[in-house]
Amino acid sequence: MNARSTEASYGADVTERLTGLVGALRSHGVRIGTGETVDAAQAVAVLGFADRELLREGLAATLLHGTDQRPVFDPVFDLYFPRSVGAPGTAGPADRDELRDRIAAALAANDRALLAQLAVEAVDGFGGYGSSPGSDGWSSYQTLDRIRPQTLLARVRASLREGAGETEFADRLLDDEIRRRIEAFRRLVGAEARRRVAERRGRDEIARRAVAPTADRVDFLIAGRAQLTELRRAVQPLARKLATRLAARRRKAARGSIDLRRTVRASLSTGGVPMRPVLRRRRPARPELVLLCDVSGSVAGFSDFTMLLVQALHDQFSKVRVFAFVNRVDEVTGLLVHGAADPEGLGARIRAEATLTGWHGSSDYGVALGEFTERYADAVGPRTTVFVLGDARTNMSDPNLPAVRQLAERARRVYWLNPEGRSQWGTGDSAAPAYAELVEMRECRNARQLGALITRLLPV
């Protein structure tokens, strides 16, 4: 193969990797346009592959819209632009003890570039397994189990003290710093193993399955504490975006639709040609909103986030009332004071200060809905839009359909947002199909779906 064909083949490979990177990011919800893709290609041409971290930052600057997208970008970048791209291959380590000595020295020096190279050698020498075509062939767990970098803490500590003479930090702070470096090395090993698996099984598949989604795409029912914390931080930006969309809808709705009868009558003066369409006059009013939230078990995170979002959108409504329940219902509007709600402690505060349970702690939709229609009938009127938040799982108790029917008759509209997937409705103790016959039930599994539903369903 001559030099020109080699250069063309190398350029085609880089182009394929860049377009694959963009496609994988789009599949995870990162919005990337054609112009941004062109800018990324120019960044690759200018930066090259000599400094991989510089290339990473250059592509992040051209493709991303905020730091919250980095947890998705970094592992995807490692799949499509691994250290082997644009760099010569590496040989495996001579033996385990020698590799551990080099890792300890790199940890003591905090040499990140060398640690990255040693991660490649570690996986190459100790992470391979299997020989069949269907096996992945590389394991970060196996690599770390054989190298055991966590056992190097004492050696690195001794090296740091010997090199510095006297440490400036307390022993505990020094150990914490060493642990952070070891954890960073473990992540490098994991990234290298994923890269090798991706090269064998296909980068696109690994990017789709092995890269964690952004917090706004994680199902409420399986979101961990860290993801829920990230969602709480995203409440205010999301509320501003939704408020802008709602304001635009109201401006459009205020113009009204064409009044055909009056338009035809007015056209008589112009020979039957409707020169000036007559619009129906509208007097849009801000809607009244009622939230009825199940705060039990795994749906509590979904309800807490929705309450915070509506609280942040408070100015878009003429009146907002919020009710929480498990098997009893209580009003918690006062706990969501506009501008003063504590995102971190909201759920705990509601469960501590509100009366939500009776003689047992399991959710009971039938009892809670019946109590709501009896005690808080004044909360729902012809201008009220009601959102019920919950998975509709009744623990085999009476779903109390007459209470839901009464609620639907009083309110302007009733929407039920269910954090479970539609395929789960009606399974086990789920009364979702029965409730869906009386009110409009929508699947709402993550924050992205919730934002779209709030914008679409709220009246203007």
Side-chain angles (χ1 to χ4, degrees), residues 287-321:
E288 297 177 1
L289 189 64
V290 167
L291 289 187
L292 188 55
C293 311
D294 180 1
V295 294
S296 65
S298 59
V299 300
F302 163 55
S303 295
D304 290 353
F305 177 75
T306 307
M307 284 188 278
L308 288 169
L309 179 60
V310 171
Q311 184 267 346
L313 284 168
H314 187 277
D315 293 339
Q316 300 297 315
F317 313 105
S318 62
K319 183 188 297 184
V320 177
R321 297 183 69 176

Side-chain angles (χ1 to χ4, degrees), residues 129-176:
Y129 70 90
S131 58
S132 62
S135 66
D136 290 342
W138 304 100
S139 167
S140 61
Y141 175 82
Q142 178 175 287
T143 304
L144 295 170
D145 184 60
R146 294 178 178 179
I147 298 298
R148 300 184 65 79
Q150 67 273 16
T151 63
L152 297 175
L153 188 147
R155 188 189 305 185
V156 176
R157 183 201 301 129
S159 177
L160 286 174
R161 286 178 175 173
E162 180 181 355
E166 292 183 1
T167 178
E168 299 179 359
F169 305 98
D171 288 347
R172 184 175 298 177
L173 295 178
L174 182 61
D175 287 352
D176 287 345

Side-chain angles (χ1 to χ4, degrees), residues 321-332:
R321 297 183 69 176
V322 183
F323 301 85
F325 71 89
V326 176
N327 53 60
R328 292 194 61 188
V329 65
D330 199 358
E331 184 167 7
V332 296

Side-chain angles (χ1 to χ4, degrees), residues 24 96 120 142 159 180 244 249 301 307 370 386 439:
R96 175 179 175 274
V120 174
Q142 178 175 287
S159 177
R180 281 193 291 270
T244 302
R249 283 183 61 200
M307 284 188 278
V386 179
V439 297

